[in-house]
Amino acid sequence: MSVVLACDLGGSSFRAALIDAEGQVLAEHAIAGPVLSDHLDRSEISAHAWWALLLEAVGRIALNTPEAFAEIAGIAICGVTRTQVFLCADGGEIRPALTWKDARSEGAAGRLRAKLGSHPEAGRINAFHPLARLAWLAEEETTSFAGLASVLEPKDYLNFRLTGRQASDPVSMARLIACAQADEAGSALAALGLAATIIPPILAPCDEVGPVGPGLPAPFDRLAGVPVFCACNDTWTAVAGLGALRPGYAYNISGTTEVLGVLGPEQAEAEGLITVDWGGIWHLGGPSQNGADTANWLVSLLDPAGTGEGVAARLEALLAGRRHPQPLLFLPYLQGERVPYWNPNLRGAFLGLGRQHGATDMAFAVLEGVACLNRIVLERAEAALGTTVGEIRFGGGAAANPAWAQIKADLCGRPVVVGGAKEPGLLGAAIIAWTGLGRFASIVEAQDALVRVARRYEPDPERRAAYDALFAIFRRAEDALAPISADLAGLARNPGPLVVARAADAVAVTTAR
C-alpha cells in the first residue's frame, strides 16, 4: 500500500508522518525545536538546523516502520512563513535565517516606505515584510547583501536540499512577487538594487519540484527518485487539512502563533490584514505573534517547576478552578504583533487585578484575550468581503482544549468546528502530495475525501452580552496602552541604570556577606 511522507516545520517543533490515500496516519514522529537565537527584537537560526531535524524525524520513522517507509510514493513539506533564508550563488547559506519574530528591520521599513513612495506595496512594508528584511541586510550587513543570490522560505530550503532545485509557490512568495512588479518608478526590488532573480521559480503547491536526489544522507538515500512537491506555507496547508480551503469559510490555527483568515471569491482589502490570491480564492487575514504559546507561557509562569503533567493538562486544571465575578482583561501582545497591527513594540498586560483574583482568572483572561484578537480580524475581514461566514474551522494545539474552542465561539459569535486531524498541517501536506500524484483531481476533491469533522461548538447566546461588553473594554484598553507599550519597549533598548543598578546591588550584597 502506497503512502506519502508529509512534513510540517513549525515554530517550535518538526513533525513527519506517513499517511495513506484515505488520510490514515500510519506512522508519525515529532521533534522539539529548532532552538532560535532570540534576544530583544532579534530572532534567527541557521537553516541547516531544519535540515538536521528533517533527517532525524524521518530517520526515526524509517527505523520504526521500515515496511511502510519503503512504500513512500511522494513527499510534501510545509513550514513557517515570514521567515527568510538567504543563499549565495552556489546555494550556500550567507547568514542565519531571519524568523517570523525578528523585528530589527523596523527602522529600515520606515525608510523604505518613504523611498518607495506610491508603489502599491509601500503601504504593506513593516518590520516583518521580506523587503524590509532585505533593506536591513543592505544597511547592516553589506557583505552578506552583496553576496545574495536568492531568498527562500524554510520549506523551500528543505525541498532544495532534497532535490537540488530552488523553487517556491505564489502564496509563500506573494509579498516578494508584488515587490518585483514595477510601477512608473520601477519595482520595489530595484529600489534596493535587487533583480527579480532573487525570487526562485514559482510553482503551484501540487507541482513537482523534482525527485529526491542521489547521494543524500540516510534515510533519504533510500528515497532517491521519489517526487517532492512544492507545497506551501504551514497556514495554507493546514487550512486544506481542515477542509476550509474554499470560499465562504473562515479558519483559525492556533499553534506557536495564531492565524485567522476568511476566504472569499473576490479580492478585498482591510486595514492590517493580508490579502493574497490563494489560487482563485482570495485570503483575507493572517498570522499574529500570539496563540497557544501564550497559554504555554502562562502555565510556565504560574507553575515553573511543573507537576509532571503536560501543558494541556495543567491548563485544564487552571480552568477548572472557581472564577471571580469580575473578569480580568489580558492584552496578548507578548512578542509584539503582526496581524492586524504590525507593531513589534506592542506589549502584553493584565488589567483589573484584585486581591481575590487567582490563577484561574488569569487563565481565562489569556484565552479570552487571544479570542478578542480573533474577533478583530474576523470582523475586519467580513466587513471588507461584505459577507458573514457560517463557521470557523479550528485546528492546531489549542483546538484540543474544549474551553478555548467554546470561548472562541462565544466571543466571535460563530460556530467553531474542530477538524478530525490532530495535525491539520500534516494532513494538508498529504493532500498536496496525493493530489500531485494524481490520486485526486483537485485540492477540493482531496479535502472532501480526506477531511473529517471531530466536534462543533455553537455560540452560547447567554454569554453574548457579557462578551460584547468585555470586547468593547478590550478595544479601549488596546488604544490606551499602545503608547505605553512603545515607551517600555524603548527602555528595553536602552536599559541604563535600572538594570545596572540592580546588578550592582547584588554585587554589594554578596560582598557584604
Side-chain angles (χ1 to χ4, degrees):
M1 177 178 63
S2 295
V3 298
V4 294
L5 172 61
C7 300
D8 185 355
L9 170 59
S12 58
S13 67
F14 187 96
R15 297 182 180 275
L18 301 182
I19 301 178
D20 68 18
E22 280 68 51
Q24 299 300 313
V25 177
L26 304 184
E28 182 179 352
H29 190 72
I31 303 173
V35 178
L36 308 179
S37 176
D38 288 355
H39 180 68
L40 294 179
D41 55 358
R42 182 191 75 191
S43 180
E44 56 186 41
I45 184 172
S46 169
H48 185 76
W50 296 323
W51 175 247
L53 290 180
L54 174 65
L55 295 178
E56 182 180 350
V58 179
R60 180 61 61 179
I61 288 176
L63 180 65
N64 292 341
T65 54
E67 293 183 0
F69 185 83
E71 299 300 320
I72 292 175
I75 300 171
I77 304 172
C78 68
V80 291
T81 189
R82 293 279 171 168
T83 297
Q84 290 77 42
V85 182
F86 307 103
L87 302 182
C88 59
D90 65 3
E93 189 179 12
I94 291 176
R95 70 169 322 281
L98 301 182
T99 83
W100 68 95
K101 295 189 289 183
D102 196 287
R104 283 175 287 179
S105 62
E106 182 184 14
R111 292 184 288 274
L112 184 58
R113 284 194 300 271
K115 190 174 185 178
L116 293 178
S118 61
H119 190 281
E121 192 67 9
R124 295 188 176 95
I125 301 294
N126 52 61
F128 308 102
H129 194 287
L131 195 66
R133 303 273 179 80
L134 290 168
W136 175 86
L137 199 67
E139 293 177 2
E140 301 295 331
E141 298 182 6
T142 54
T143 302
S144 295
F145 184 79
L148 180 67
S150 59
V151 180
L152 299 182
E153 291 271 315
K155 59 91 177 174
D156 301 326
Y157 175 78
L158 295 179
N159 288 343
F160 171 50
R161 294 293 298 265
L162 288 174
T163 67
R165 181 189 180 192
Q166 295 184 21
S168 191
D169 66 276
V171 177
S172 300
M173 283 286 163
R175 300 278 53 88
L176 278 183
I177 292 171
C179 289
Q181 297 170 354
D183 65 359
E184 295 80 2
S187 75
L189 284 177
L192 293 181
L194 294 169
T197 52
I198 68 164
I199 302 173
I202 300 301
L203 305 176
C206 294
D207 286 347
E208 182 182 342
V209 177
V212 174
L216 291 179
F220 288 100
D221 56 341
R222 297 160 54 187
L223 297 180
V226 172
V228 178
F229 298 98
C230 185
C232 198
N233 62 54
D234 54 354
T235 297
W236 189 98
T237 308
V239 172
L242 290 171
L245 194 59
R246 59 190 91 203
Y249 278 68
Y251 71 87
N252 179 204
I253 301 163
S254 188
T256 302
T257 58
E258 189 93 356
V259 195
L260 190 140
V262 177
L263 304 179
E266 299 177 352
Q267 183 177 2
E269 300 285 342
E271 181 183 359
L273 306 191
I274 299 173
T275 300
V276 183
D277 181 359
W278 278 15
I281 304 170
W282 286 93
H283 167 276
L284 196 56
S288 77
Q289 297 287 75
N290 309 281
D293 186 61
T294 312
N296 295 350
W297 163 82
L298 179 71
V299 170
S300 299
L301 187 70
L302 296 177
D303 184 18
T307 59
E309 297 180 307
V311 171
R314 290 152 68 192
L315 180 61
E316 290 280 2
L318 290 176
L319 296 172
R322 184 176 180 180
R323 193 174 184 185
H324 191 277
Q326 181 238 291
L328 298 180
L329 195 68
F330 177 68
L331 301 185
Y333 308 119
L334 301 182
Q335 304 178 89
E337 191 50 280
R338 289 184 286 176
V339 169
Y341 301 122
W342 302 102
N343 184 350
N345 295 320
L346 289 178
R347 294 295 180 263
F350 280 104
L351 299 176
L353 279 166
R355 184 64 182 82
Q356 294 182 330
H357 284 116
T360 294
D361 302 296
M362 298 177 76
F364 272 102
V366 165
L367 303 195
E368 290 166 347
V370 175
C372 283
L373 182 62
N374 295 154
R375 178 168 167 175
I376 293 171
V377 176
L378 179 67
E379 289 184 349
R380 288 190 185 188
E382 289 183 331
L385 292 167
T387 185
T388 299
V389 300
E391 64 184 39
I392 301 171
R393 290 288 178 103
F394 186 29
N401 188 306
W404 208 346
Q406 188 63 56
I407 285 170
K408 287 174 180 284
D410 293 339
L411 251 164
C412 293
R414 304 288 183 276
V416 167
V417 178
V418 176
K422 180 183 176 183
E423 299 293 339
L426 290 178
L427 180 58
I431 284 173
I432 289 170
W434 282 119
T435 304
L437 287 167
R439 179 67 180 240
F440 302 103
S442 67
I443 290 288
V444 171
E445 181 181 310
Q447 288 180 113
D448 290 340
L450 302 184
V451 176
R452 298 168 182 83
V453 169
R455 295 176 302 280
R456 183 180 179 91
Y457 299 85
E458 296 289 343
D460 186 342
E462 293 186 0
R463 297 193 182 107
R464 180 70 187 186
Y467 270 138
D468 283 348
L470 188 70
F471 180 69
I473 299 171
F474 180 90
R475 296 307 308 275
R476 287 164 51 201
E478 285 187 308
D479 293 340
L481 294 186
I484 297 173
S485 289
D487 291 343
L488 289 171
L491 292 179
R493 297 188 187 95
N494 301 284
L498 289 179
V499 174
V500 174
R502 297 311 302 169
D505 290 347
V507 171
V509 170
T510 302
T511 303
R513 289 177 179 171

